[in-house]
Amino acid sequence: MKLNLKKTAAGVIAFVVFVAALIYCNKIEKADLISTEGQSYEKAQVVEITKDNLAEDGNRYGEQKVILKINSGSLKGQEVEAVSPSGTLFGATCKVGMPVIAIVSVTENNSVVTVYSQDRSIAIYVFAVLFALIVCAIGGRQGAKAVISLAFTCISIFGLLFPLIYKGYSPVFVTILICVVATVFTMLMISGWSKKTLSAVIGTTCGVAAAGAAATIFGHFAGISGYNVPDIETLNYVAQYTPIRIGGLLFAGIIISSLGAVMDVGMSMSSAIQEIYEANPEVGKKKLFLSGIQVGRDMMGTMTNTLILAYVGGAITTLIINYAYNLSYNQLLNSYNIGIEIMQGLSGSLGVVLTVPITAAVAVELLYRNSMRK
């Protein structure tokens, strides 16, 4: 009972500290990078299409003219004329009854309304709920814990990491800090506080730190920095009005990208070593470590493939464009985009690989220290 009270008290304190950190970090006055005075994005529904832009060849040119019923904002309940561009990134192919998001620009007594996109919020919410229900149905209690851990990680990233980076803190440092917090919470949710959890947390932390260090070293020798990313012009503009350290964002992103795979390897390694030890407590320290390494070798192949394929999937449009333009080998290999993708994939994979021996060594040491005390 005393132990449960201590755990409950520790949980309450941790929750209060986390909420206080969220409140503190989000006390931000953001710089006005663009003027949005009089402009808002509102929910609306297509009531009528007054002019279509469908041509005889089946393609759409120009813009549609529609009547929208505005369902939020200052024009709520009103029916207004609007245009819907036929662009691939903005506008929508409107149909009567279709929910859309409208850009409402109000100046004095005039208002201009443009269709921004189809309203995707319901589809996103339904898909997210369906995902959570399937995970809980298949995983049971552990599945519910996984959903809670995912939600906590997302809150930590958007509620702590981004505000701290915006305030001017080192992106790499705060990313490692948030990764540690997310790892501790996830591991505690999965297996509670134990030697297995501690070794998994230490192994995961060292793994993501190794991924960040590897990316930094690779970037130094390859001449790649956080200022070589495709969005650098926009980032430079943002940096003129905010204290964001844009040079570290690339490496912070690599650390976050590798966290999931590294965390998986850390917990799997820690669990495997503990199971081996409990099945044969007389196994020697060295043999237990080598057994853990053997288990980890099977994980390396799949997890390194997971990260490499994830990065390839994320850069598929860039890679296809390069392939279509038939760029020469020297041009392709030495372009910044390809160099960054290689750096991300290899440094993240290296973090996964190094997590195996680190977690194995920590888990073995904790188990044998505990047995010596007994």
Side-chain angles (χ1 to χ4, degrees):
M1 187 176 291
K2 289 182 179 180
L3 184 61
N4 288 335
L5 286 174
K6 288 182 178 180
K7 287 183 178 180
T8 302
V12 171
I13 293 172
F15 177 77
V16 171
V17 170
F18 181 73
V19 172
L22 284 176
I23 295 172
Y24 166 77
C25 290
N26 286 276
K27 288 183 177 179
I28 300 174
E29 290 187 10
K30 292 187 178 180
D32 293 327
L33 299 178
I34 57 174
S35 177
T36 57
E37 185 178 356
Q39 185 183 86
S40 61
Y41 290 75
E42 308 296 348
K43 290 181 175 291
Q45 188 174 25
V46 179
V47 175
E48 181 184 351
I49 297 175
T50 57
K51 181 183 177 182
D52 208 347
N53 59 352
L54 183 63
E56 293 181 358
D57 61 2
N59 295 318
R60 293 184 178 275
Y61 303 97
E63 58 191 21
Q64 288 178 305
K65 292 185 178 180
V66 299
I67 303 296
L68 299 180
K69 181 179 180 181
I70 306 299
N71 295 323
S72 65
S74 59
L75 300 182
K76 182 177 180 180
Q78 297 184 30
E79 292 188 359
V80 298
E81 294 182 348
V83 295
S84 179
S86 60
T88 54
L89 296 179
F90 303 101
T93 302
C94 293
K95 299 178 182 178
V96 175
M98 179 180 176
V100 297
I101 299 297
I103 304 175
V104 178
S105 301
V106 179
T107 56
E108 295 181 355
N109 296 325
N110 298 321
S111 61
V112 177
V113 182
T114 306
V115 174
Y116 172 70
S117 71
Q118 178 182 344
D119 187 354
R120 304 182 181 94
S121 56
I122 295 178
I124 292 173
Y125 296 146
V126 170
F127 195 78
V129 171
L130 184 62
F131 165 79
L133 291 176
I134 292 175
V135 171
C136 293
I138 296 176
R141 188 175 180 182
Q142 290 298 98
K145 290 181 179 180
V147 172
I148 294 172
S149 299
L150 177 60
F152 178 84
T153 301
C154 291
I155 292 172
S156 298
I157 291 174
F158 289 98
L160 295 178
L161 178 62
F162 289 177
L164 287 173
I165 290 176
Y166 189 90
K167 285 173 178 285
Y169 291 93
S170 167
V172 174
F173 174 76
V174 296
T175 298
I176 292 176
L177 177 63
I178 296 303
C179 285
V180 171
V181 172
T183 300
V184 170
F185 183 86
T186 301
M187 298 301 184
L188 288 175
M189 288 293 293
I190 293 173
S191 60
W193 184 251
S194 63
K195 296 183 293 294
K196 178 173 71 174
T197 300
L198 180 58
S199 58
V201 169
I202 294 174
T204 300
T205 302
C206 292
V208 294
T216 302
I217 294 171
F218 180 94
H220 173 74
F221 287 102
I224 296 175
S225 70
Y227 295 92
N228 303 127
V229 295
D231 296 326
I232 188 58
E233 292 184 2
T234 303
L235 287 172
N236 278 329
Y237 175 74
V238 171
Q240 293 177 15
Y241 301 94
T242 68
I244 296 176
R245 303 184 189 181
I246 62 175
L249 294 178
L250 173 62
F251 304 102
I254 292 173
I255 293 171
I256 293 176
S257 299
S258 64
L259 176 60
V262 171
M263 191 186 300
D264 190 7
V265 171
M267 177 52 78
S268 299
M269 282 294 302
S270 183
S271 297
I273 289 175
Q274 180 150 333
E275 289 297 321
I276 295 171
Y277 179 78
E278 291 179 355
N280 182 15
E282 302 301 322
V283 66
K285 195 173 183 179
K286 181 179 179 181
K287 189 174 181 180
L288 180 59
F289 174 77
L290 293 176
S291 297
I293 294 295
Q294 191 61 41
V295 173
R297 285 172 180 167
D298 294 332
M299 300 178 194
M300 290 180 190
T302 56
M303 284 301 169
T304 52
N305 278 341
T306 298
L307 281 177
I308 295 295
L309 293 175
Y311 286 122
V312 170
I316 190 68
T317 53
T318 301
L319 295 174
I320 290 297
I321 290 173
N322 291 335
Y323 179 81
Y325 275 92
N326 196 27
L327 302 182
S328 69
Y329 175 77
N330 285 335
Q331 179 184 2
L332 189 63
L333 185 64
N334 292 283
S335 66
Y336 279 119
N337 287 341
I338 298 301
I340 289 173
E341 294 302 325
I342 292 173
M343 178 176 71
Q344 289 177 326
L346 294 184
S347 58
S349 297
L350 185 59
V352 169
V353 171
L354 292 178
T355 301
V356 171
I358 294 172
T359 306
V362 172
V364 170
E365 186 64 29
L366 290 175
L367 286 170
Y368 273 87
R369 279 191 180 185
N370 187 66
S371 64
M372 289 174 63
R373 288 175 183 173
K374 291 181 179 180

